[in-house]
Amino acid sequence: MASFDNYDRGGFFDEVFAKDGVVRPHYENVMQSLNGMEAVDFGRRQQTADAAFLKQGVTFTVYGDEQGTERIFPFDLMPRIIPRAEWEHVEAGLIQRITALNLFLNDVYHGQQIINDKVVPAEVVESASHFRPAFRGINVPHHIYIHICGTDLVRDDDGTYYVLEDNARCPSGASYMLENRQAMKRAFPNLLQSLPVRPVDRYGAMLRNTLAHLAPPGVADPVIVVLTPGVYNSAYFEHAYLARQMGVPIVEGRDLIMRNDRVFVRTTRGLVQVHVIYRRIDDDFLDPLVFREDSLLGVPGLVHSYRLGHVALANSIGTGVADDKAVYAYVPKMIRYYLDQDPILPNVPTYLASEDADRSHILANLDKLVVKAVNESGGYGMLMGPHSTKEQQEEFHRRIVANPRNYIAQPVLSLSRHPVFVDDHFEGRHIDLRPYILYGDKVQVLPGGLTRVALRKGSLVVNSSQGGGSKDTWVLWNDEA
Amino acid sequence: MHLRIHHRTRYVYRMPVVDSYNEVRLRPATDDPKRLLAFLLCVHPPRRLRHFRDEHHNYVQWFEIPEPHTELVIDAVSKIHTTSQYAAGGKPTGTHFSSLTSGEHMDMLHPFLVRSRYVDVDHDVWRLAIDARNERTDVFETAEAIMTFVNTNWVYQPNSTSASTHMSEVLKDRRGVCQDFAHVMIGMCRALGIPARYVSGYLYNGPTSHLRGAQASHAWCEVWIPERGWFGLDPTNNTLADERYIKIATGRDYDDAAPIRGSFSGPNGATAALEVTVEVELA
């Protein structure tokens, strides 16, 4: 296929081609196979895969779009490949990180040693919007708070992996990762089989074991359910998919009922006690008696039952303090504090407007930095320094001075790129990686994760709602394919 | 070899205990990140960990649990790339006994030539060692001969001894486990003037192992060969410590290299159960 003839690395770190244009060893087999293929053939396979996604309803919902709300998540057939040694580094770093985050949560919801020892300032924790001071002193099963974590990683122009953010509440996307692999098996059955690619299909079983581990003591065969906000939620496909993968019921709040401080699910055969809830509802909506009283999605009394230990929740309540954008800046310090080790995966350097020295630096470099509002996501409340106007910079200057705790700033990273198929040839697009970490009896990282692609030319935004797509991620057993 | 080790130790107490303080030696003994790919210790109840280096340069982590608890779980997971120290240069033979007295570092090696907490260096041991040596003049060949001597003349018998069994008892009863075999070999080497030290660690020998100590905590010993360094020999299995051996800690004897050492306040007999599981698998 001549589709790589005019491929432009664009001065970025390219996952496939090294600086001199030579194919990296772990991509050699895949490139050979693509080179022996006509562009039309590749295009046909791409169309078949797209059609399959649509038919199976692998969709997400875009709110506020007149064109119809159900979209397929665009999928690019060329796999992203990670060699063994590189993955081992990433895996070790993720396990270290989730371990430290859990120690942090256990600490801030108990004795707060890390605050007393002045490693993390009290204000940073207390002002985090997802910190739940009411949960101090409550013991959660096995002292684990984050059972399922999706951590977003990016690579800089020298290929170094950085942690961009931790998703410690309800990380989504695992179902796309699983479906992407299915699509690749259909599109390139021989290629996938001939290479030492680590499988991902154990995820359902691993997730189930992780949840079962949380069951109250003495419950040998726990009843597990997936709690969804309902069919109109953007990730409903995923909720249903994971429930099916685990072989457990999917329920809405109205399907659950409290009896004698215990949670029961209504079934065709009467009430059945529930032991573990994989909740895909935010804290705020979980229980109208404790959090938002206008919530119709949750179950009144659920939190009380959780406190008493009759039912387990994954993830626990209040985990959002660990993925707060200002708390993020302290994670390397946390790792050193709790584990007495150096962080394996670095953070993106982060300046906190709440710290005097950092604030001066931010205000002096508004034209170079990315400024983010701490309590907003999805690209709102963000200033992209190099692409901003003088007026926008002045506006942010005012906002930062008025409310420093709400702003952080980071240098602009030049994310790594990967070829994606566009019409009849390949072009480089920016990518990230979201691996999934499960913390049950032990900590496990599923090999790979969801590689997200900013499909729009030049774009850095990988979110599905804003023109992002995905790729299958192949972690190799070896360093070469 | 790429190996993954999961070592879990669980203490269950009949009633809540307090003021627990623990020191653990569970990290593979290398600082090379190309060898030690990952190491993480996890403690339940969750605890902040700190570390120091002891006098044998072992990596020691410590933690305290002052509040009441009825269970303590210590989980260590390592991923390591091992090679055999014998792969490059083969056996370090060719060193005559005479260089043991004249070589460099001999003053630093003094602790490994004399008696220690669990190892005796007396006339009985010396007589055995002389027999095993059988007039050899090569240091490493003598160490190998002692290894084989211990392996053939002692009976491996699980639960016949305890963690605090002294070598003198093992000499009498002629049975024991890997720790005891190592102590006997160390004593015999020292009696002949060969510096010898204790190693605690793990042994991988495939999923269906017949070697003793495989898939569990293991112990063997190392002897000092002047100009060449320390070399590992396993008297329990009569083999050289090759790439299947993962070294955790070293010391004069078990007392210096015990994986976990701790104390707590509680009534007599508070410990209801101690469970140890070790998985060593190819990664």
Side-chain angles (χ1 to χ4, degrees):
Chain A
M1 185 154 57
S3 316
F4 283 101
D5 284 357
N6 298 314
Y7 188 81
D8 179 13
R9 291 179 62 256
F12 294 98
F13 182 91
D14 194 279
E15 298 284 342
V16 178
F17 300 99
K19 258 205 175 75
D20 47 10
V22 172
V23 173
R24 296 182 197 276
H26 52 282
Y27 274 98
E28 262 170 24
N29 261 297
V30 165
M31 285 302 286
Q32 242 173 41
S33 163
L34 287 181
N35 282 327
M37 189 182 289
E38 293 295 324
V40 273
D41 183 19
F42 192 89
R44 204 161 44 234
R45 290 177 202 235
Q46 179 74 57
Q47 283 167 11
T48 314
D50 291 346
F53 276 112
L54 192 62
K55 253 192 285 187
Q56 290 172 47
V58 186
T59 59
F60 67 95
T61 309
V62 181
Y63 299 114
D65 188 331
E66 297 297 315
Q67 304 278 310
T69 52
E70 295 279 306
R71 300 269 184 82
I72 68 162
F73 192 20
F75 174 65
D76 182 77
L77 266 187
M78 185 174 177
R80 186 254 185 93
I81 301 176
I82 303 175
R84 175 187 176 130
E86 207 171 287
W87 177 251
E88 276 176 343
H89 169 75
V90 168
E91 185 183 41
L94 293 171
I95 292 175
Q96 179 193 52
R97 197 169 171 101
I98 195 177
T99 304
L101 289 177
N102 267 305
L103 286 163
F104 171 70
L105 286 165
N106 185 66
D107 192 11
V108 296
Y109 287 117
H110 288 88
Q112 301 199 331
Q113 275 302 317
I114 198 164
I115 293 173
N116 298 341
D117 287 339
K118 304 205 184 320
V119 177
V120 177
E123 310 84 71
V124 171
V125 170
E126 279 154 17
S127 61
S129 61
H130 296 283
F131 178 54
R132 308 281 177 207
F135 273 82
R136 273 192 77 177
I138 308 270
N139 288 322
V140 303
H142 305 285
H143 313 282
I144 307 167
Y145 288 76
I146 309 170
H147 310 92
I148 301 119
C149 191
T151 295
D152 291 343
L153 305 175
V154 294
R155 301 182 80 180
D156 198 1
D157 45 15
D158 62 356
T160 307
Y161 282 89
Y162 287 89
V163 176
L164 189 62
E165 63 181 33
D166 306 284
N167 293 281
R169 282 166 283 160
C170 298
S172 60
S175 59
Y176 300 122
M177 163 187 75
L178 298 172
E179 272 301 308
N180 287 354
R181 180 59 57 83
Q182 291 305 320
M184 290 305 281
K185 280 182 183 164
R186 288 188 293 266
F188 297 107
N190 298 332
L191 181 60
L192 195 50
Q193 211 163 45
S194 67
L195 296 181
V197 178
R198 295 182 62 178
V200 295
D201 48 15
R202 290 182 305 128
Y203 186 74
M206 282 163 61
L207 182 58
R208 197 182 194 290
N209 289 341
T210 301
L211 295 170
H213 180 246
L214 300 178
V219 179
D221 192 13
V223 174
I224 302 169
V225 298
V226 175
L227 176 61
T228 176
V231 294
Y232 297 110
N233 184 269
S234 66
Y236 183 76
F237 163 77
E238 167 149 314
H239 306 160
Y241 185 93
L242 292 177
R244 200 164 61 237
Q245 290 281 317
M246 290 190 283
V248 306
I250 178 167
V251 301
E252 295 179 29
R254 59 187 175 181
D255 299 317
L256 299 178
I257 191 168
M258 302 300 304
R259 286 276 189 280
N260 192 22
D261 299 328
R262 286 156 175 83
V263 183
F264 291 80
V265 58
R266 301 176 212 266
T267 75
T268 49
R269 280 164 294 171
L271 297 180
V272 173
Q273 190 182 344
V274 175
H275 303 104
V276 183
I277 299 177
Y278 179 30
R279 50 92 165 218
R280 296 294 299 255
I281 294 182
D282 288 339
D283 286 357
D284 277 341
F285 300 96
L286 210 47
D287 182 344
L289 299 182
V290 180
F291 301 116
R292 279 177 59 161
E293 51 187 272
D294 58 338
S295 169
L296 301 172
L297 302 173
V299 187
L302 176 58
V303 169
H304 183 59
S305 182
Y306 180 54
R307 274 183 219 262
L308 294 175
H310 295 317
V311 68
L313 295 173
N315 288 342
S316 183
I317 292 168
T319 56
V321 65
D323 67 15
D324 178 272
K325 286 192 180 72
V327 172
Y328 160 91
Y330 291 93
V331 175
K333 283 182 181 162
M334 277 177 212
I335 292 171
R336 289 197 182 89
Y337 179 78
Y338 292 115
L339 303 177
D340 204 3
Q341 293 183 341
D342 288 328
I344 297 168
L345 291 172
N347 262 13
V348 177
T350 301
Y351 305 100
L352 300 172
S354 54
E355 311 237 325
D356 294 342
D358 283 11
R359 186 169 59 250
S360 316
H361 179 81
I362 296 172
L363 294 177
N365 292 283
L366 283 173
D367 55 332
K368 298 185 194 75
L369 298 168
V370 183
V371 182
K372 295 177 182 172
V374 168
N375 290 324
E376 289 180 69
S377 61
Y380 299 102
M382 193 161 116
L383 176 79
M384 282 291 276
H387 305 293
S388 62
T389 63
K390 263 270 163 298
E391 288 74 36
Q392 288 170 323
Q393 290 168 26
E394 278 161 16
E395 168 63 21
F396 266 80
H397 194 287
R398 269 195 302 279
R399 288 205 227 165
I400 292 168
V401 171
N403 185 5
R405 169 60 173 86
N406 200 35
Y407 292 93
I408 62 156
Q410 295 170 333
V412 180
L413 287 186
S414 48
L415 304 192
S416 68
R417 296 208 314 188
H418 196 292
V420 303
F421 193 66
V422 182
D423 302 326
D424 59 352
H425 62 286
F426 285 92
E427 290 182 18
R429 291 289 186 269
H430 295 293
I431 58 169
D432 77 350
L433 177 66
R434 176 179 290 182
Y436 295 92
I437 310 135
L438 298 177
Y439 195 150
D441 184 40
K442 49 189 166 186
V443 186
Q444 291 169 287
V445 187
L446 201 75
L450 184 66
T451 292
R452 297 187 297 177
V453 189
L455 288 175
R456 276 188 216 134
K457 196 170 194 157
S459 170
L460 291 169
V461 183
V462 296
N463 299 62
S464 54
S465 55
Q466 301 186 44
S470 73
K471 280 175 171 295
D472 193 14
T473 311
W474 293 2
V475 172
L476 302 182
W477 286 111
N478 306 329
D479 284 329
E480 294 173 17
Chain B
M1 291 178 99
H2 267 81
L3 297 170
R4 180 183 173 282
I5 304 133
H6 184 183
H7 184 165
R8 170 173 291 189
T9 310
R10 180 166 173 257
Y11 300 87
V12 182
Y13 306 108
R14 274 192 190 88
M15 50 214 89
V17 302
V18 296
D19 295 334
S20 172
Y21 173 84
N22 299 272
E23 290 183 4
V24 308
R25 290 167 177 81
L26 290 168
R27 197 191 82 149
T30 171
D31 293 325
D32 180 356
K34 287 200 174 62
R35 289 187 177 277
L36 184 57
L37 306 172
F39 171 75
L40 200 60
L41 186 75
C42 231
V43 176
H44 283 268
R47 210 47 41 168
R48 177 185 181 197
L49 305 167
R50 277 171 276 181
H51 83 269
F52 63 86
R53 297 282 183 169
D54 67 15
E55 68 271 32
H56 302 291
H57 202 63
N58 296 315
Y59 184 91
V60 187
Q61 288 169 293
W62 59 276
F63 58 89
E64 47 195 42
I65 309 172
E67 71 272 14
H69 55 287
T70 54
E71 189 187 59
L72 169 61
V73 181
I74 301 168
D75 246 332
V77 178
S78 315
K79 266 183 125 177
I80 188 164
H81 177 69
T82 61
T83 49
S84 171
Q85 64 177 151
Y86 297 101
K91 293 181 188 178
T93 50
T95 300
H96 193 269
F97 261 84
S98 58
S99 43
L100 282 175
T101 43
S102 58
E104 262 184 278
H105 309 301
M106 288 315 279
D107 48 336
M108 306 255 297
L109 295 164
H110 180 74
F112 304 106
L113 283 165
V114 296
R115 66 189 295 268
S116 55
R117 172 79 179 77
Y118 289 115
V119 175
D120 259 348
V121 185
D122 57 18
H123 283 97
D124 293 339
V125 187
W126 179 74
R127 268 191 287 271
L128 283 172
I130 288 293
D131 279 357
R133 177 179 176 179
N134 199 13
E135 295 178 5
R136 285 180 182 81
T137 56
D138 187 276
V139 178
F140 189 78
E141 281 173 8
T142 303
E144 271 191 295
I146 293 173
M147 170 175 78
T148 306
F149 181 86
V150 174
N151 184 267
T152 31
N153 291 292
W154 267 260
V155 177
Y156 184 83
Q157 197 176 332
N159 305 317
S160 58
T161 55
S162 77
S164 54
T165 300
H166 192 275
M167 178 193 134
S168 56
E169 247 178 89
V170 185
L171 273 192
K172 255 199 332 266
D173 297 344
R174 297 253 167 162
R175 59 182 180 173
V177 296
C178 54
Q179 173 183 331
D180 307 307
F181 279 57
H183 283 157
V184 172
M185 175 163 171
I186 291 166
M188 289 171 69
C189 288
R190 287 180 188 172
L192 296 178
I194 306 173
R197 68 181 184 184
Y198 184 94
V199 185
S200 76
Y202 309 104
L203 167 59
Y204 174 77
N205 196 43
T208 54
S209 171
H210 60 278
L211 285 195
R212 294 150 180 172
Q215 323 301 343
S217 273
H218 192 49
W220 59 98
C221 67
E222 285 183 338
V223 295
W224 173 263
I225 308 297
E227 317 286 326
R228 308 288 294 272
W230 292 102
F231 285 84
L233 303 103
D234 177 7
T236 309
N237 293 297
N238 198 26
T239 51
L240 302 181
D242 54 23
E243 70 273 11
R244 297 167 302 169
Y245 288 74
I246 303 128
K247 193 183 340 184
I248 299 292
T250 58
R252 289 164 298 178
D253 54 30
Y254 173 77
D255 201 40
D256 289 337
I260 297 174
R261 166 160 301 168
S263 71
F264 60 80
S265 292
N268 276 338
T271 306
L274 163 60
E275 298 160 14
V276 183
T277 57
V278 177
E279 293 166 18
V280 185
E281 58 193 18
L282 286 176

